[in-house]
Amino acid sequence: MKRHFLFCLLALLVVSLAEAQTVVPLKKYAGNLKYIDVVVGGQSYKFLFDSGGGKTIISPAVAAALGKEPYGRSVSFRMSGEQVAFEHCDSVTLSLAGVNIPHPQLAVWDIMQVLPKELPPVDGLISLKTFEHLPVTVDLPNSRLILETAQSLRDKTRRMQLIPSRFSTGLDGAELGLFLGVPQNGKLWWFLFDSANLSDLLLSPVTAEAWGYAVKKSDAPQEIDSFTFTPFADTPVQAAVENIIYDGALNYSVLSGRRFTISYPARKVWMSP
């Protein structure tokens, strides 16, 4: 009887561990920019977290420490239209909060090129590409990511709102970008899911004009006060018109008001109430 009880207890423990979620802390880098402690090749590094980054990146120094020789070339575009060229590196495993996530290929590039020189160095960038096979909750209100299990995904999303989404893979098929559909005037407008956008919520001039805002002929950002942005914000938000290559771009301020659960395999995104 006692042996049977212990066996059942062990079985329950195994099931519990199999269904356990993993919490990945998002740590303060600069302002509202966040970084993640990532272990690569047995060494700990700081990787910036950027949900709009498209590619997961390691620096040339990390590639060299792994004994990897970068090769090839792929081109991406920042939302300003600026072109960025990357090299590649194959077969690298990144460990986040003890969870090993193999990457058949990732990008090699020094992201310090686009960060202010006074900021401390970071060694790479974690994007949504890292989670293409693993459902993840982006919980900016609590400064964390949650790596979901199949069971936790089902349980959590029952209480969340399914929202229109698009996933893009870039010009070379090696990216993972997320766009959320924003309803306006009976149509859906597609906004980049960009946690590293620390400025205002951004609208392209075309979007702003279609939404009834007068747009000045200028390259400088144009502020829009008390902008209503349902269903993503309960109160008016600060927005700006800027020359970007998308309909618009979500920002940290808007995204930090909700939790978003993302499943790339299912091509679905849910948002907390």
Side-chain angles (χ1 to χ4, degrees):
M1 182 70 177
K2 183 177 181 181
R3 180 178 297 178
H4 178 72
F5 173 77
L6 290 175
F7 176 80
C8 292
L9 186 62
L10 179 60
L12 288 172
L13 178 60
V14 169
V15 170
S16 176
L17 290 173
E19 293 300 333
Q21 302 158 290
T22 300
V23 174
V24 180
L26 295 174
K27 299 183 177 180
K28 182 180 177 64
Y29 174 59
N32 284 321
L33 285 177
K34 308 294 183 181
Y35 78 88
I36 298 172
D37 288 320
V38 179
V39 175
V40 190
Q43 298 295 317
S44 182
Y45 298 97
K46 292 182 178 179
F47 279 42
L48 199 68
F49 173 65
D50 180 3
S51 66
K55 290 179 179 286
T56 292
I57 301 168
I58 60 172
S59 69
V62 173
L66 294 172
K68 301 282 187 178
E69 183 175 352
Y71 71 97
R73 171 183 167 88
S74 65
V75 173
S76 297
F77 291 89
R78 304 181 73 192
M79 65 179 170
S80 63
E82 177 188 354
Q83 177 178 305
V84 181
F86 300 93
E87 292 182 292
H88 304 138
C89 188
D90 292 343
S91 303
V92 178
T93 295
L94 305 183
S95 181
L96 282 65
V99 176
N100 293 328
I101 305 178
H103 289 65
Q105 185 182 83
L106 41 65
V108 179
W109 192 63
D110 183 6
I111 69 169
M112 296 307 297
Q113 295 180 63
V114 295
L115 293 174
K117 296 186 183 298
E118 65 271 15
L119 293 182
V122 288
D123 306 294
L125 182 146
I126 295 294
S127 70
L128 295 182
K129 177 69 175 176
T130 291
F131 310 105
E132 62 180 330
H133 302 299
L134 187 64
V136 61
T137 294
V138 178
D139 185 2
L140 293 181
N142 294 299
S143 295
R144 63 184 184 173
L145 305 178
I146 303 173
L147 309 184
E148 305 290 352
T149 66
Q151 185 61 52
S152 71
L153 178 67
R154 287 191 293 269
D155 292 343
K156 181 171 289 184
T157 55
R158 289 192 190 105
R159 304 183 299 273
M160 302 176 81
Q161 176 185 356
L162 183 66
I163 54 178
S165 59
R166 283 180 178 172
F167 294 86
S168 67
T169 57
L171 297 175
D172 62 354
E175 298 183 20
L176 183 56
L178 173 60
F179 294 80
L180 300 185
V182 178
Q184 185 77 7
N185 301 334
K187 300 178 176 62
L188 280 179
W189 305 77
W190 296 97
F191 280 57
L192 181 67
F193 187 89
D194 191 1
S195 65
N197 173 17
L198 303 186
S199 64
D200 296 333
L201 175 81
L202 298 179
L203 284 71
S204 73
V206 170
T207 301
E209 288 182 345
W211 290 14
Y213 295 98
V215 177
K216 300 175 183 176
K217 302 300 180 183
S218 171
D219 289 333
Q222 176 185 333
E223 299 293 325
I224 300 175
D225 293 322
S226 298
F227 179 75
T228 301
F229 197 62
T230 54
F232 297 96
D234 297 324
T235 58
V237 302
Q238 186 69 39
V241 181
E242 194 165 320
N243 287 316
I244 59 176
I245 61 176
Y246 312 123
D247 289 340
L250 303 173
N251 63 347
Y252 180 87
S253 178
V254 168
L255 295 178
S256 63
R258 295 285 193 273
R259 293 182 300 279
F260 296 85
T261 297
I262 302 161
S263 173
Y264 178 65
R267 301 295 200 277
K268 290 182 179 180
V269 178
W270 298 263
M271 182 175 70
S272 66

